[in-house]
Amino acid sequence: MYTTNIDNEIFTKLKRLNRDQKTDVLDYLEHIPKVSHSTRIYRRKAMKQIREALEKDW
């Protein structure tokens, strides 16, 4: 399933981060604004932003 692949990718990347970086990622995830009418687009954009943020740290 697609969601499982994304979840695994996030968990794999998070394992490599230090404590402050993990906190920053979790804070970011908590403060993503909720959009009720366009969940698929919202999730796709959020995952893209997370990937870009994680790639910058490497």
Side-chain angles (χ1 to χ4, degrees):
M1 184 178 194
Y2 184 69
T3 304
T4 303
N5 292 336
I6 292 173
D7 293 342
N8 288 336
E9 181 179 343
I10 291 170
F11 290 136
T12 301
K13 298 278 186 176
L14 284 174
K15 287 180 184 177
R16 299 177 186 167
L17 300 178
N18 66 35
R19 177 182 251 175
D20 291 334
Q21 291 169 326
K22 288 178 184 178
T23 301
D24 290 343
V25 171
L26 293 175
D27 287 343
Y28 173 80
L29 292 173
E30 288 178 356
H31 293 95
I32 294 175
K34 303 258 185 211
V35 177
S36 61
H37 66 280
S38 181
T39 305
R40 187 183 314 170
I41 293 171
Y42 157 75
R43 182 176 174 86
R44 187 181 308 147
K45 286 182 180 179
M47 295 310 301
K48 180 180 177 184
Q49 291 175 345
I50 292 168
R51 281 193 196 99
E52 289 172 355
L54 291 173
E55 287 175 3
K56 287 180 184 178
D57 288 334
W58 305 115

